[in-house]
Amino acid sequence: MMQAYDIAVIGAGVMGTNVAYQAAREHPDKRIALIDRDKIGAGCSGYAGAIISPISLTAAHQQQTALSRDWYEDPALGCQHLLRQLDTLIVYSDASQETLNQKTDLLTPVQCEVPGWLSPPSDLQLSQSRATLWGNVFEICQHLAYANDSVDVYECLAVRDFKRSDDGWQLSMSDGRTLHAGQVVVAKGAWLSAEEQSCDLIINRKKVVAYEIDAPVDETSPLVYLYDQGAFLLPLLHKQRWIMSITSQQWGCMPERHECEISQEDRQIAETILQQHAPSLIGALRGGRCHSDGYVRERRPQVVASQPGQLVIGGGSGSGFRFAPAVGRQACELLFSNSTV
Ligand SMILES: Cc1cc2nc3c(=O)[nH]c(=O)nc-3n(C[C@H](O)[C@H](O)[C@H](O)COP(=O)(O)OP(=O)(O)OC[C@H]3O[C@@H](n4cnc5c(N)ncnc54)[C@H](O)[C@@H]3O)c2cc1C
């Protein structure tokens, strides 16, 4: 017998799991399918650093960031053990000070512990800003996926194709089954196909890279944000390592593993930054994590109602963890506004 759902969410990264979770909480009577070709959170989300960055490019970024932060920190969500607040140091040049002041919460004199390895050139400034929120994105995705009984989770099962039917959508699964859903949400990250994109949502794939650095971490270690380089060093207490996120310049990178690896160019970027700010860490560079993400002009994910009964979400833009709760809310508003479910 064909399984029938009110909503099918294709892709269970941080976007898809947020949509499924919020839809289930708002409408516990609706039946929801959450489907991923891999394990929950095993796409780009499973590789993320990941922080809610203290830097906001626009007022919309700032507003959505505040919403997301409150959402993650709400004790009712049950994710507090997967989050940490980190003191935040920002290193910047005089030339950047004015733009930085517009993009971040008030900069204050440094009061937290400064890591011994940090030695920025004397012409750079060092300030403290509001604490940064770190989250274990892989575990958060798992938590969101399995938190509601009304969500049926399908892992390691790809949606090969989905087509309109008289009363919704028919989804053809990789194991030969067919599911039916009243509405469909496509949240496939960098796997979003050309057909699934539209003039309102065109993604450019880009590699997101972070190195791991084998240097001591303790409870007082702060996040160090190197503003002019678009890089940050994040202490991971549970791994006793630092993660150094850099801005890779590799566009057009497909998410398949062999197409998305840390390159010599990435290492040069990392070493150049460390040479300037923390030369003693160069020898402690280990492997890292990297994945392709979909980027959009707005630099925050977009939710597009591309056809009746179909939402497409894309454009994590290297900040999907930060914006996913706001995206989930937006998607639910559209799903339940002139609801056909
Ligand atoms: C190294 C690194 C550091 C990062 N740091 C940060 C950070 O500090 N802060 C931040 O906010 N963001 C950060 N990001 C970015 C963030 O991780 C992404 O923006 C976010 O994970 C994108 O989520 P998504 O759900 O759109 O995509 P994904 O997590 O890739 O999810 C898409 C899912 O769709 C599934 N899928 C694809 N095709 C199908 C199909 N046919 N059928 C079923 N399922 C399918 C995939 O298996 C995948 O699980 C970082 C990323 C990386 C790699």
Side-chain angles (χ1 to χ4, degrees):
M1 196 183 72
M2 193 192 298
Q3 287 278 10
Y5 292 94
D6 296 302
I7 300 164
V9 181
I10 306 173
V14 73
M15 306 292 173
T17 53
N18 255 280
V19 175
Y21 179 93
Q22 293 193 39
R25 283 291 147 125
E26 267 183 43
H27 292 268
D29 54 316
K30 304 295 183 198
R31 288 204 66 208
I32 299 169
L34 176 63
I35 310 155
D36 203 291
R37 75 209 290 252
D38 203 328
K39 290 177 74 66
I40 301 295
C44 189
S45 302
Y47 291 78
I51 57 160
I52 293 196
S53 168
I55 311 291
S56 285
L57 295 177
T58 64
H61 279 217
Q62 210 161 16
Q63 201 183 6
Q64 294 203 336
T65 301
L67 188 153
S68 294
R69 220 183 139 118
D70 289 348
W71 193 83
Y72 284 123
E73 290 184 308
D74 183 350
L77 186 66
C79 275
Q80 276 165 317
H81 61 297
L82 303 173
L83 303 169
R84 258 191 88 209
Q85 296 277 0
L86 295 158
D87 284 334
T88 303
L89 289 174
I90 303 197
V91 182
Y92 56 97
S93 62
D94 284 342
S96 305
Q97 181 154 14
E98 202 181 320
T99 46
L100 179 60
N101 276 330
Q102 293 159 5
K103 291 179 186 170
T104 187
D105 292 336
L106 196 64
L107 297 176
T108 55
V110 175
Q111 288 182 333
C112 67
E113 196 86 19
V114 178
W117 45 255
L118 184 63
S119 53
S122 54
D123 58 339
L124 294 185
Q125 307 285 338
L126 185 61
S127 294
Q128 195 163 340
S129 81
R130 183 188 168 179
T132 298
L133 188 70
W134 167 83
N136 182 332
V137 186
F138 180 73
E139 296 288 340
I140 290 172
C141 290
Q142 299 273 333
H143 173 78
L144 296 178
Y146 286 101
N148 294 296
D149 291 343
S150 57
V151 178
D152 274 355
V153 179
Y154 293 82
E155 290 188 82
C156 292
L157 210 54
V159 175
R160 290 266 182 259
D161 191 17
F162 56 97
K163 289 198 173 74
R164 275 213 80 87
S165 64
D166 291 343
D167 53 352
W169 298 86
Q170 302 272 21
L171 283 70
S172 308
M173 315 291 282
S174 54
D175 67 349
R177 268 183 286 178
T178 304
L179 301 188
H180 178 271
Q183 299 197 72
V184 70
V185 179
V186 186
K188 288 163 56 177
W191 283 273
L192 213 57
S193 68
E195 297 74 43
E196 288 156 353
Q197 297 176 47
S198 63
C199 54
D200 293 322
L201 176 57
I202 299 170
I203 60 160
N204 283 316
R205 296 181 183 87
K206 183 170 181 278
K207 193 164 73 172
V208 190
V209 178
Y211 260 105
E212 293 199 359
I213 297 180
D214 200 356
V217 169
D218 65 36
E219 293 280 353
T220 63
S221 301
L223 177 94
V224 179
Y225 203 100
L226 307 173
Y227 178 73
D228 292 71
Q229 284 73 25
F232 62 80
L233 287 106
L234 161 73
L236 281 191
L237 203 52
H238 65 287
K239 282 191 95 173
Q240 276 300 305
R241 281 192 168 191
W242 291 76
I243 283 189
M244 179 185 181
S245 172
I246 60 167
T247 302
S248 169
Q249 298 303 337
Q250 193 179 334
W251 290 88
C253 174
M254 293 301 289
E256 278 64 39
R257 288 314 316 152
H258 64 283
E259 295 217 20
C260 198
E261 292 165 347
I262 300 179
S263 65
Q264 195 169 348
E265 193 190 345
D266 297 326
R267 181 170 60 82
Q268 277 161 0
I269 293 172
E271 287 187 356
T272 304
I273 295 171
L274 287 178
Q275 191 63 51
Q276 203 188 5
H277 294 86
S280 66
L281 294 186
I282 292 179
L285 276 180
R286 298 291 178 257
R289 30 179 93 192
C290 100
H291 205 284
S292 171
D293 200 5
Y295 275 68
V296 287
R297 193 170 21 98
E298 295 82 356
R299 290 292 187 267
R300 64 187 161 88
Q302 304 294 301
V303 183
V304 172
S306 46
Q307 302 184 42
Q310 179 187 306
L311 291 185
V312 182
I313 296 174
S317 306
S319 299
F321 167 61
R322 167 190 188 159
F323 292 118
V327 163
R329 174 176 288 190
Q330 212 182 330
C332 285
E333 279 167 12
L334 289 166
L335 282 171
F336 300 116
S337 56
N338 47 4
S339 180
T340 56
V341 297

